[in-house]
């Protein structure tokens, strides 16, 4: 049963133009372990330990993401579906199932070569949420401040605040940083800024200043980067799923139920990740929606 759950969502993904990730070590050390080590170092006031392990946790999380995108896109590209011309339904065609299983095996081998045993990277939802909320940057800004690396402390604080605008303590920290000697405006940067949103914001600034010709390059680049992010997002929605809702009972779905359930989860994932690819943060969602409305109004006037 686990084999079907691990392979049946490899369908229909597009090929992603991304370089094959190179690992410094194999297997890749799980980022949740590094995160725990960094938190332990924080409570020992071991600031160098916090920085070393938290930065590695962020790097390994990014490497894990790149490897998954590469493998899922590559295996989807290599394993093409070959359906016979019979009158049977798609799911009755054995060529279909053969291709699905070959894709699953391709994915298992590809990720195993790049990441090590699959069981190493079973990250709990709690830890995933911490990284989604950018909690590592909260720890990093304190550690950098303690060793007087103000530029890095400011960048980490700003990165955390971007997705936590209601965090009063971090707001106060940023106000304090602005009054400190040696801190520059350029230090207030989002270390996880999305390429398409950066280009979009620059294009909007030029558009608002009625520099329409110059805004075109940035807005076109924003579209290119958006579609790249969207394709990567769709690839990450494929692969194994854990049906937590059925863990409390002896649930054994048949083949068709497994296919249906896995497809539903993949589609739901793609729907939820649409906003992550569109705007990324709550602040960007609001500003992005407003700017899109402005563009539409301008187009209506031109029409």
């Amino acid at each position: 049963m686990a084999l079907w759950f691990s392979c049946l969502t490899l369908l229909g993904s597009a090929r992603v133009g991304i370089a094959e990730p190179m690992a410094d070590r194999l297997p890749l050390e799980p980022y949740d372990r590094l995160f725990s080590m960094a938190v332990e170092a924080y409570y020992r006031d071991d600031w160098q330990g916090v920085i070393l392990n938290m930065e590695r946790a962020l790097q390994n999380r990014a490497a894990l993401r790149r490897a998954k995108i590469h493998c899922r896109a590559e295996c989807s590209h290599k394993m093409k579906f070959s359906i016979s011309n019979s009158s049977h339904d798609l799911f009755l065609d054995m060529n279909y199932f053969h291709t699905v299983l070959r894709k699953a095996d391709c994915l298992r081998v590809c990720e195993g070569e790049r990441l090590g045993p699959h069981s190493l990277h079973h990250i709990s939802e709690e830890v995933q949420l911490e990284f989604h909320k950018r909690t590592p940057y909260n720890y990093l800004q304190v550690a950098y401040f303690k060793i007087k690396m103000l530029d890095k402390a400011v960048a980490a604080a700003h990165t955390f605040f971007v997705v936590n605008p209601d965090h009063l303590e971090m707001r106060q920290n940023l106000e304090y940083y602005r009054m400190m000697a040696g801190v520059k405006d350029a230090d207030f940067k989002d270390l996880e800024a999305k390429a398409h949103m950066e280009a979009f914001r620059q294009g909007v600034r030029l558009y608002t200043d009625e520099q329409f010709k110059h805004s075109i390059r940035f807005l076109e680049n924003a579209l290119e980067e958006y579609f790249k992010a969207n394709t990567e997002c769709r690839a990450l929605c494929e692969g194994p799923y854990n049906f937590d809702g059925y863990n409390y009972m002896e649930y054994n779905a048949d083949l068709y139920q497994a296919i249906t359930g896995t497809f539903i989860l993949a589609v739901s994932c793609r729907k939820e990740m649409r906003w992550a690819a569109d705007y990324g943060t709550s602040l960007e969602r609001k500003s992005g929606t407003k700017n899109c409305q402005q563009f539409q109004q301008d187009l209506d006037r031109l029409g």
Side-chain angles (χ1 to χ4, degrees), residues 231-250:
T231 301
E232 292 178 354
C233 179
R234 290 171 64 87
L236 288 172
C237 282
E238 299 169 357
Y241 278 91
N242 181 21
F243 291 82
D244 292 326
Y246 299 107
N247 285 346
Y248 67 94
M249 64 176 75
E250 294 183 0

Side-chain angles (χ1 to χ4, degrees), residues 97 105 155 166 241 255:
F97 293 113
D105 187 60
D166 298 325
Y241 278 91
L255 176 60

Side-chain angles (χ1 to χ4, degrees), residues 48 51-52 55 58-59 136-160 170 174 177 182-184 186-191:
Q48 294 289 355
I51 293 171
L52 174 64
E55 286 187 343
L58 290 166
Q59 292 167 2
Y137 292 100
N138 196 354
Y139 288 102
L140 281 172
Q141 70 96 17
V142 174
Y144 284 133
F145 178 79
K146 292 291 186 178
I147 63 174
K148 303 188 185 305
M149 297 181 67
L150 289 182
D151 57 335
K152 290 183 175 293
V154 171
H158 181 76
T159 301
F160 174 81
M170 192 60 73
L174 288 169
Y177 286 136
V183 174
K184 305 181 292 293
D187 295 332
F188 293 83
K189 54 188 175 184
D190 183 359
L191 298 175

Side-chain angles (χ1 to χ4, degrees), residues 52-102:
L52 174 64
N53 289 296
M54 201 65 83
E55 286 187 343
R56 285 180 59 200
L58 290 166
Q59 292 167 2
N60 284 15
R61 180 172 180 260
L64 178 66
R65 183 181 188 275
R66 291 195 301 271
K68 287 184 175 181
I69 291 172
H70 169 82
C71 288
R72 294 175 187 185
E74 192 71 13
C75 289
S76 179
H77 175 72
K78 288 180 178 178
M79 306 300 172
K80 299 291 186 180
F81 284 102
S82 177
I83 307 300
S84 68
N85 295 324
S86 67
S87 59
H88 294 290
D89 292 335
L90 176 65
F91 289 113
L92 297 179
D93 195 306
M94 295 309 297
N95 290 328
Y96 169 83
F97 293 113
H98 178 66
T99 303
V100 168
L101 289 173
R102 289 177 61 216

Side-chain angles (χ1 to χ4, degrees), residues 39-237:
V39 173
E40 291 174 3
Y42 178 87
Y43 287 108
R44 296 195 308 267
D45 293 344
D46 177 10
W47 310 122
Q48 294 289 355
V50 174
I51 293 171
L52 174 64
N53 289 296
M54 201 65 83
E55 286 187 343
R56 285 180 59 200
L58 290 166
Q59 292 167 2
N60 284 15
R61 180 172 180 260
L64 178 66
R65 183 181 188 275
R66 291 195 301 271
K68 287 184 175 181
I69 291 172
H70 169 82
C71 288
R72 294 175 187 185
E74 192 71 13
C75 289
S76 179
H77 175 72
K78 288 180 178 178
M79 306 300 172
K80 299 291 186 180
F81 284 102
S82 177
I83 307 300
S84 68
N85 295 324
S86 67
S87 59
H88 294 290
D89 292 335
L90 176 65
F91 289 113
L92 297 179
D93 195 306
M94 295 309 297
N95 290 328
Y96 169 83
F97 293 113
H98 178 66
T99 303
V100 168
L101 289 173
R102 289 177 61 216
K103 278 189 176 183
D105 187 60
C106 173
L107 180 60
R108 179 184 59 80
V109 172
C110 181
E111 291 191 357
E113 291 175 347
R114 289 158 180 77
L115 303 173
H118 179 70
S119 59
L120 278 177
H121 303 286
H122 284 165
I123 311 299
S124 69
E125 291 186 4
E126 291 78 9
V127 173
Q128 292 183 49
L129 180 60
E130 293 299 329
F131 278 80
H132 180 71
K133 296 189 300 184
R134 300 190 181 181
T135 301
Y137 292 100
N138 196 354
Y139 288 102
L140 281 172
Q141 70 96 17
V142 174
Y144 284 133
F145 178 79
K146 292 291 186 178
I147 63 174
K148 303 188 185 305
M149 297 181 67
L150 289 182
D151 57 335
K152 290 183 175 293
V154 171
H158 181 76
T159 301
F160 174 81
F161 188 70
V162 166
V163 297
N164 299 278
D166 298 325
H167 197 285
L168 296 180
E169 182 180 350
M170 192 60 73
R171 183 187 297 273
Q172 293 172 353
N173 288 347
L174 288 169
E175 292 174 354
Y176 176 71
Y177 286 136
R178 291 186 186 278
M179 296 185 294
M180 296 184 68
V183 174
K184 305 181 292 293
D185 289 340
D187 295 332
F188 293 83
K189 54 188 175 184
D190 183 359
L191 298 175
E192 294 205 5
K194 297 180 182 295
H196 61 282
M197 285 308 304
E198 288 292 290
F200 178 70
R201 278 192 288 265
Q202 181 62 26
V204 168
R205 282 193 287 268
L206 293 169
Y207 182 91
T208 303
D209 293 338
E210 298 187 358
Q211 299 182 44
F212 304 116
K213 183 177 180 180
H214 296 294
S215 72
I216 291 174
R217 177 167 62 91
F218 291 97
L219 294 176
E220 287 182 342
N221 180 251
L223 284 172
E224 293 174 0
E225 291 295 332
Y226 167 79
F227 286 117
K228 178 182 177 181
N230 182 263
T231 301
E232 292 178 354
C233 179
R234 290 171 64 87
L236 288 172
C237 282

Side-chain angles (χ1 to χ4, degrees), residues 129 132-134 161-165 190 194 196-198 200-201 204 226 233 269-295:
L129 180 60
H132 180 71
K133 296 189 300 184
R134 300 190 181 181
F161 188 70
V162 166
V163 297
N164 299 278
D190 183 359
K194 297 180 182 295
H196 61 282
M197 285 308 304
E198 288 292 290
F200 178 70
R201 278 192 288 265
V204 168
Y226 167 79
C233 179
C269 171
R270 290 173 178 176
K271 180 180 179 181
E272 291 175 1
M273 291 186 72
R274 175 190 168 192
W275 280 105
D278 282 348
Y279 303 123
T281 71
S282 58
L283 293 178
E284 289 170 339
R285 291 180 194 180
K286 294 176 182 177
S287 63
T289 302
K290 180 179 179 180
N291 287 321
C292 287
Q293 291 172 346
Q294 176 188 343
F295 292 153

